[in-house]
Amino acid sequence: MPKEKIDLVGPGIKVHSVVRHGGVMIHAEYVGPVACPQCSSEQLRTKDRFVRKLRHESIGTKNTWLYLTLRKYRCEDCRRYFRARVPGLLPYRRSTEMFRQEIFMGHRDGISQQQLHRTRRIGSATVERWFHEHLELKEKMFSSRLCPTVLGIDEHFFTKKQGYATTFCDLQKHRIFEVAKGRSEHSLHSALMRMKGRERVQVVCIDLSSSYRSLARKYFPNALIVSDRFHVVRTVIRHFLDTWKLLDPVGRKNRGLLSLMRRKSGNLHPDQQARLERYFEQNPAIGMVYKAKEELCELLNQKHRTQKDCRPLISRLLYWIDQLRNSPFEPLRTLGATLSSWRDEIARMWRFTRNNGITEGFHTKMELIQRRAYGFRNFDNYRLRVIVMCG
């Protein structure tokens, strides 16, 4: 193999020979600059030579061993003995950092520990240890980050034993900022206090969770709280379906009608619209409930509105809240109370376009991470993988 093809050995390393024998064996010598680690002097005297056998980054599909000749020096200024430091090779290690990076990238991309054990001839425990070392190293790069200006907060299921975890997502840069175990203020207190720059947060997007709202008001005092549009619309549809169940318990069990009642009227085909109209002729009260649901959802789905445009929308929202709170049906009264409690956060949806759809997308990716690992028992290991792979 030509020497000029071996660029991955590293700077300052002179290759003497390359031998193929059950793999690739590179015989090389370090000829780069050397200075005393104590006094940085270059007045050195060679005292000995030795060879280090190292696992190196694979060439193609062949395993590679690097036989690197190094020197032991004596500093003429401080009289200290030391061995040459080689870039990309840490003391007391029998593999180069390039080989460790190769193992990390392979395991991160889905190659199992057993497969790496068979192909790269290293132990599966070694793969796990190196993988966590790289995760911890990369996580330190994110630990000094300041809180984002637009923050999304949502929960996701972790394990049956440990319950739920809370995701803090940077909605502006589309990445995970932090993951903490639990969803109550008591369990999240320490994680929130470790966050730097909490006063920088301008917008916090959450679902209709009272605990998250009180948490956002306490730990992000300069932020405006915005309700997530998907959760608000889903809450409206659920309460209207509960009202339909009170009016027609038999029709509520019809899966065909249920599918049509959940959809927007503008998304229905003509034959589907005709079927709904025939059903509403037999049940006019349900038709009125469906029409109210469509008008309220259309109001909540308004986007990209200016401050002037929001004024008539606010009047319509207050009108609907008053109508729902005075409704004879219990589900609609409950819905009116919920919308009244969250009216400020709901009104801000018309101005701010960011929502927790980004966070929900990351939850899908986090489920894939858990599935690939066949579940996690240690939350710290799970947090490391999520922050590095989704950050």
Side-chain angles (χ1 to χ4, degrees), residues 359-376:
T359 311
E360 297 291 349
F362 276 117
H363 285 171
T364 302
K365 186 173 181 179
M366 291 154 70
E367 290 177 2
L368 294 177
I369 293 174
Q370 284 186 306
R371 190 179 306 167
R372 178 181 292 177
Y374 295 97
F376 285 89

Side-chain angles (χ1 to χ4, degrees), residues 6-67:
I6 309 175
D7 300 330
L8 46 132
V9 175
I13 296 179
K14 180 181 179 181
V15 177
H16 295 307
S17 64
V18 179
V19 181
R20 289 178 176 270
H21 182 70
V24 179
M25 290 176 286
I26 303 174
H27 296 269
E29 180 183 2
Y30 179 67
V31 293
V34 181
C36 177
Q38 182 69 24
C39 62
S40 302
S41 173
E42 296 182 357
Q43 301 297 326
L44 309 175
R45 180 181 177 184
T46 302
K47 300 297 293 183
D48 192 13
R49 293 191 180 193
F50 60 96
V51 178
R52 293 182 64 177
K53 181 181 178 181
L54 307 165
R55 284 300 305 272
H56 191 54
E57 185 178 19
S58 303
I59 298 178
T61 59
K62 298 292 185 179
N63 294 325
T64 305
W65 284 265
L66 176 63
Y67 293 84

Side-chain angles (χ1 to χ4, degrees), residues 262-281:
R262 284 176 171 173
R263 302 183 193 180
K264 294 181 180 179
S265 57
N267 294 337
L268 297 176
H269 297 296
D271 54 339
Q272 296 173 337
Q273 186 69 39
R275 181 183 177 185
L276 268 185
E277 290 177 357
R278 290 194 299 270
Y279 177 70
F280 292 153
E281 289 177 359

Side-chain angles (χ1 to χ4, degrees), residues 104-267:
F104 169 77
M105 297 291 288
H107 191 44
R108 187 201 65 177
D109 294 339
I111 303 178
S112 65
Q113 297 175 8
Q114 290 296 324
Q115 184 68 18
L116 290 171
H117 163 69
R118 289 190 295 267
T119 57
R120 297 301 175 222
R121 300 183 186 179
I122 58 175
S124 57
T126 302
V127 176
E128 182 69 17
R129 186 174 69 254
W130 290 0
F131 188 76
H132 277 278
E133 287 177 0
H134 277 79
L135 286 179
E136 292 172 358
L137 182 63
K138 288 181 175 294
E139 193 272 336
K140 290 180 181 179
M141 299 170 57
F142 301 116
S143 61
S144 59
R145 291 187 303 182
L146 299 177
C147 286
T149 55
V150 183
L151 185 67
I153 304 177
D154 201 4
E155 63 183 15
H156 67 279
F157 182 75
F158 179 52
T159 62
K160 291 183 179 179
K161 184 177 181 180
Q162 302 189 46
Y164 285 83
T166 298
T167 306
F168 298 88
C169 181
D170 186 350
L171 301 181
Q172 199 167 20
K173 296 185 178 180
H174 292 210
R175 64 187 183 187
I176 295 295
F177 177 72
E178 184 59 89
V179 180
K181 185 166 62 174
R183 52 180 177 176
S184 63
E185 182 180 351
H186 176 73
S187 58
L188 298 175
H189 174 75
S190 59
L192 288 167
M193 295 303 295
R194 288 195 302 267
M195 294 183 182
K196 301 177 182 179
R198 287 183 283 113
E199 66 281 352
R200 298 179 67 252
V201 181
Q202 300 177 4
V203 178
V204 174
C205 186
I206 59 175
D207 55 9
L208 301 181
S209 171
S210 299
S211 60
Y212 282 156
R213 180 170 59 178
S214 61
L215 182 145
R217 289 173 177 172
K218 181 177 180 180
Y219 293 95
F220 305 103
N222 299 330
L224 294 175
I225 303 175
V226 181
S227 297
D228 182 47
R229 181 176 286 102
F230 168 78
H231 290 89
V232 176
V233 174
R234 186 180 66 173
T235 300
V236 170
I237 294 176
R238 186 180 74 247
H239 284 82
F240 273 98
L241 292 180
D242 292 342
T243 306
W244 178 31
K245 185 177 180 179
L246 294 177
L247 296 173
D248 186 10
V250 178
R252 174 65 174 78
K253 297 179 181 180
N254 189 315
R255 299 183 64 180
L257 284 175
L258 177 61
S259 176
L260 298 180
M261 292 286 284
R262 284 176 171 173
R263 302 183 193 180
K264 294 181 180 179
S265 57
N267 294 337

Side-chain angles (χ1 to χ4, degrees), residues 40 69 77-78 89 95-96 101 128 139 166 220 224 242 294 332 340 351-352 356 361 375 384 390-391:
S40 302
T69 301
D77 292 339
C78 64
L89 177 61
S95 59
T96 63
Q101 182 72 14
E128 182 69 17
E139 193 272 336
T166 298
F220 305 103
L224 294 175
D242 292 342
E294 288 295 301
L332 296 184
S340 176
R351 295 295 310 277
F352 298 97
N356 265 342
L384 278 177
C390 303

